[in-house]
Structures are given as structure tokens and as C-alpha cells.
Amino acid sequence: MQGETGVVVIGAGMGGLAAAAGLAAQGIKVTVVEAGDVPGGKARGVPTPSGLADTGPTVLTMRHVLDAIFAECGTRTEDELTLIPLPRLARHFWPDGAMLDFFTDLEANIAAIEAAFGPKEAAAFRRFDRITRGMWDAFSGSVIAAPKPDLGRIVAATLARPKLWRALRPGLTMQDLLRAHFSDPRLVQLFGRYATYVGGRPSQTPAVLSLIWQAEVQGVWAIAEGMHGVAAALARVAERKGVKFHFNSRAKRIVRKEGRVVAVEIENGTSIPCSACVFNGDPGALRDGLLGDAARASMEDTRRPEPSLSAWVWAFGAKPVGVELAHHNVFFSADPELEFGPIGVGRMPEEPTLYVCAQDREMASPPPEIERFEIIMNGPAGHQPFPQEESQCRARTFPTLAAMGLRFEPEPDAPGLTTPALLSRRFPGSQGAIYGGSPEGVLATFQRPLARTGLKGLYLAGGGTHPGAGVPMALTSGRHAARALAADRISAAK
């Protein structure tokens, strides 16, 4: 690696891969250093008898973001991956026996809600869908797709939609908005679940993030190769554009000289000269000085947010028994307070809602006898390991599912469990948070770090930066970083 110049990307997560591919597509020399042995960051795979099971993100929405990255590199998503539009967004189960499927079609969803919960709730859903569509139209371009939240465009967009004003008033939470629409607490619980998609609790997350429903209803894709396969495909395409990857190479220090980045040092003592660096890790690692004093100083003007939610995650192969599963499934608890109450004080939930990804369901071919599964139980960040953690997590996962009719033969063993403490070790500075900074609080969306930092030549990408958590958001952050870096190079050359 000695003697290479150009741009160094630290971290081969989704944001780093998008940045590397985007820069290479513009003819910029890129080297990626990654502490792990494969690309993907949190998008990892765990071996099972039927292949790798995802243990990380599983929901792919906003496919156009992925399409754009591949197109910039001269290829197409369908030439690199097998993406399958799912016939249903998710299947939802409650302890009282209620079940509800959601689809991409509005009228199909209205009919499903009416059949399960009655015409009053179906009408409430139609109103909710209308208001969240207005939110999406107002915020998707001015916040999500913009390199910096554009307050002027936000104000103009909301002024043009007076019906949104009540839903956007400061202090209104997602739970407040949902209770104003739905009478049935199960639907409040269901749509409040979207707060957890970005690492928040519905009682604390701003109402505007209800627009996440619109991102999902526009389409959800399953990936035959798994979400870890998306990372592998991005790395493969980036390599074809000339990007050099160095795995098992942990960055130790970002080196500054005369006020700008000039090199990245690796733990083995190697120094990689560079004109710029994209850091695809948790911004907390920079604030904690884990990449040196220069990088820490670059973050002095940014706010350290509270961490988002973490999780206990099972990934394994087994034969499912008793319930007809979709690809994405949610098994709700009877009382959300027994989930979010304990999480709010740093404990494992007493009665968790459980997300189950049946990775081989609703694909192009029938599932194998031993299917691949991922089960996510939300939890607090900053959680330290404790005695009987695995047995306690197991007791709150598999008996809960069995009580609702779903069993696995066999149940997974302890190595199939990822804990908040393990996530904290794997991703320094994160405290185990899966989604970067917490979305809770009125200004959380506007306080995430942007691509540019206070140090010339240092840029940020990943779920801890703008526009936030989720695969399409992390990919977008990488594109923002690549564009900012390329624009600054052009400006400096003039």
C-alpha cells in the first residue's frame, strides 16, 4: 500500500462503498481500507446449511438510489444482483390472533384494514396515507436527497400544503399523530413501528418521520444474494472501476499537515498518502479521538447526539413450523409499554415486538427445507454484556413466537446471536447503536453531521451522517460525500 495517492475511504459499509464507486466513476484513484474481512459493515452474513443468512439490514426500499450508483459505474442493478419485488410489504401478527398484510397498492391496503379492523379504521388509514404522502412530497427532495436540509425549500413546501401544518407542529410525536388518526391501538402500534426503522421510539420520535411509510409503500425488494450480497456487488463494481480494497486493515489515524488531510495510517504501521479521506464509520469514533487529534478537532462544532436503538439479533438456519410466513414479518407484543418502557431505561424489553425475516420466502423458487432467518429484538444502545444475557434473550424470543404459533427446528445456538455489546465492539464509537444518532427530538434530523467536516479533505458517509439510517440513506450519504469531495477538488484546481 505504501506510496499510493488519491482518496482513501475508511470503511466498506454501504456509505463507503457508494462513495468509492462514485469517486472511481469520475476517474479518481480510490483505496478502501476495511477492518473486517469482507465488505458490508453492518450488512453481514452468517453461515447456515442453506447459505449465508443476513444479520443486519434486510429491507431494501428506494431502489432508484442503488440503480443510480450502478448506472454511474456503467452497469445495471439487474446485471449485478437479482432483485425481486415482493408481493407484500410485510405480514403482521398480534397475540389476539389478528393478522394483516400490507401491499404496494393503496386500495388493497384499505381493503385489508377494513377486513381486519373495520371501515372506520380503513377510512382513518386513507387519511393517514394522504397526509404522509404530503410529508414525503415536502421532505424527500429538500431533506433526503439534498446534501444539506434546505430550510427554505422545506418552508415553501409546507406553506403550499396547509393541511400538513397540524401534523408538523413542534413537539408532536409519531404516537400523537397516530392516536389522532386511529382508534384501534393495534394500528397505532403498527405504524409506530416505523420509528424503530430509524432507531427511535414512537412516543419520542417526531411525527414527520411517519413519512417512512411512504418510502416503504413505493416498493420493497428482496435480494436473492442477500443484503450482504448488495455490498459484495458494490465492491465488485468498484473494483472494476479501479478501486483497491484492503481488508483486515484497521485505520489508526487520519494525518493532517498544513491544515488538511495528507495520509491515513493503518494499525500495522503502513501510511497511505492521500489528498482526501472519506470516513465511513460512526462519527462518535472521530469525536472520541479514535482516529487521532486532527479528526477529533474536525468534529468540535458538531453536536454529539444520543445514540439510536440497538438490538439483539439472531441469524440462523432452521425449519419453521406452525405459521405461514411472508418475507418480512412482525410479531407484535400485547403491550408496547413493556417493550419501550424498559428500553427507555437501558434494559432488555420485557415483552418485545419481534421482526422475523424469512430470507427464502416469496422468492423466485420454493424455500429449501432449512430456511435462513433473522430475528431482531430492539434494545438500548450502550448495553454491556451481563450474566445469562443469551438465555434471557432466548427466553424472550422463541417462547414469545411459539405462543403465537411459530416454532423453529432446531432453535439457534448462542453463536447465532449478535448483542448490543458485540455491535459496540465491531463499530467503534457507536455504543452499539444500529442507526447512528437517535431520531428523537424536534431538531434531530437537522443536527446530523454533513458530508464536509471542519478539516479540509475529510468527508463523512454512513448511517450516522445526513440523511440518516437505512440502506438507501447510507448509500445516499456516500453519494453526497463523493460529490462534495469531487466538487472541492475542482474548486481547488482552479
Side-chain angles (χ1 to χ4, degrees):
M1 288 189 282
Q2 190 71 34
E4 292 185 352
T5 59
V7 173
V8 172
V9 175
I10 299 174
M14 293 295 184
L17 292 167
L23 290 166
Q26 299 179 66
I28 297 172
K29 190 174 184 178
V30 181
T31 299
V32 178
V33 296
E34 163 59 43
D37 56 359
V38 293
K42 295 185 178 75
R44 300 183 304 108
V46 170
T48 78
S50 297
L52 293 177
D54 278 322
T55 176
T58 59
V59 180
L60 180 63
T61 60
M62 299 171 64
R63 174 186 164 164
H64 64 274
V65 178
L66 187 62
D67 290 343
I69 294 168
F70 283 129
E72 288 174 356
C73 293
T75 186
R76 303 182 306 163
T77 303
E78 51 267 40
D79 293 332
E80 307 297 338
L81 292 163
T82 306
L83 266 59
I84 300 165
L86 289 174
R88 55 183 56 76
L89 304 179
R91 177 162 286 171
H92 307 88
F93 302 85
W94 283 269
D96 62 5
M99 188 183 81
L100 180 67
D101 284 354
F102 268 159
F103 310 90
T104 57
D105 180 73
L106 174 63
E107 296 304 322
N109 289 330
I110 291 170
I113 290 176
E114 182 167 353
F117 301 106
K120 180 181 175 183
E121 297 303 276
F125 167 73
R126 188 185 290 275
R127 292 191 298 271
F128 173 77
D129 180 78
R130 188 182 305 121
I131 198 166
T132 55
R133 199 178 318 131
M135 291 176 177
W136 178 263
D137 292 342
F139 285 86
S140 59
S142 57
V143 177
I144 297 171
K148 178 181 180 179
D150 189 331
L151 289 175
R153 286 180 62 189
I154 293 169
V155 171
T158 53
L159 287 175
R161 297 172 173 83
K163 291 183 179 179
L164 290 182
W165 295 351
R166 290 183 62 188
L168 297 176
R169 67 181 186 269
L172 188 75
T173 69
M174 189 180 290
Q175 186 165 282
D176 295 334
L177 179 69
L178 294 171
R179 286 176 172 172
H181 278 80
F182 297 105
S183 299
D184 195 304
R186 291 169 295 184
L187 290 175
V188 173
Q189 187 181 26
L190 188 159
F191 288 104
R193 203 79 211 151
Y194 288 103
T196 68
Y197 284 25
V198 289
R201 296 165 292 171
S203 63
Q204 305 296 320
T205 298
V208 67
L209 289 179
S210 298
L211 60 76
I212 297 170
W213 158 248
Q214 291 297 326
E216 187 161 285
V217 78
Q218 292 172 26
V220 174
W221 283 263
I223 307 110
E225 298 82 358
M227 193 65 78
H228 59 278
V230 174
L234 287 167
R236 185 172 62 245
V237 168
E239 282 188 309
R240 294 206 300 258
K241 300 302 291 186
V243 176
K244 295 183 178 181
F245 286 85
H246 298 281
F247 296 103
N248 300 306
S249 299
R250 184 179 295 277
K252 177 181 178 182
R253 187 166 73 101
I254 297 169
V255 182
R256 175 184 59 191
K257 184 177 181 180
E258 296 178 356
R260 66 169 302 112
V261 172
V262 295
V264 172
E265 291 182 357
I266 310 303
E267 282 189 345
N268 66 6
T270 302
S271 180
I272 309 175
C274 60
S275 59
C277 170
V278 177
F279 178 70
N280 174 213
D282 195 288
L286 302 183
R287 295 189 182 96
D288 293 342
L290 301 183
L291 276 296
D293 292 340
R296 177 169 53 191
S298 75
M299 302 297 292
E300 287 179 350
D301 293 336
T302 64
R303 169 183 170 271
R304 179 185 287 273
E306 291 295 317
S308 72
L309 297 182
S310 186
W312 283 269
V313 183
W314 296 92
F316 58 98
K319 179 180 179 181
V321 178
V323 169
E324 185 61 32
L325 296 168
H327 193 90
H328 298 296
N329 308 270
V330 182
F331 290 79
F332 287 105
S333 65
D335 184 357
E337 286 301 314
L338 294 179
E339 176 182 19
F340 294 113
I343 287 175
V345 294
R347 300 201 315 267
M348 185 182 289
E350 295 173 20
E351 292 186 11
T353 286
L354 298 166
Y355 162 76
V356 178
C357 178
Q359 192 172 326
D360 297 299
R361 292 295 173 108
E362 299 184 306
M363 305 294 277
S365 56
E369 182 178 1
I370 300 299
E371 299 181 45
R372 294 170 294 172
F373 292 95
E374 178 177 354
I375 302 177
I376 298 177
M377 178 173 72
N378 288 313
H383 210 288
Q384 300 302 311
F386 59 92
Q388 289 80 51
E389 180 177 15
E390 185 271 338
S391 61
Q392 183 174 317
C393 181
R394 182 183 298 276
R396 297 185 186 185
T397 301
F398 297 100
T400 298
L401 293 173
M404 298 175 73
L406 176 61
R407 294 181 292 106
F408 297 97
E409 298 176 351
E411 284 187 10
D413 54 16
L417 177 64
T418 298
T419 67
L422 182 56
L423 289 166
S424 182
R425 291 197 300 273
R426 283 180 178 158
F427 305 103
S430 70
Q431 302 179 62
I434 294 177
Y435 311 91
S438 171
E440 299 177 1
V442 175
L443 298 177
T445 296
F446 304 96
Q447 293 174 328
R448 292 192 187 97
L450 303 177
R452 289 184 177 91
T453 72
L455 174 60
K456 287 184 180 180
L458 177 59
Y459 303 82
L460 304 180
T465 66
H466 173 76
V471 170
M473 305 301 187
L475 293 171
T476 298
S477 77
R479 301 188 75 202
H480 288 333
R483 289 171 176 170
L485 192 159
D488 290 347
R489 283 168 65 99
I490 293 171
S491 178
K494 291 182 178 178

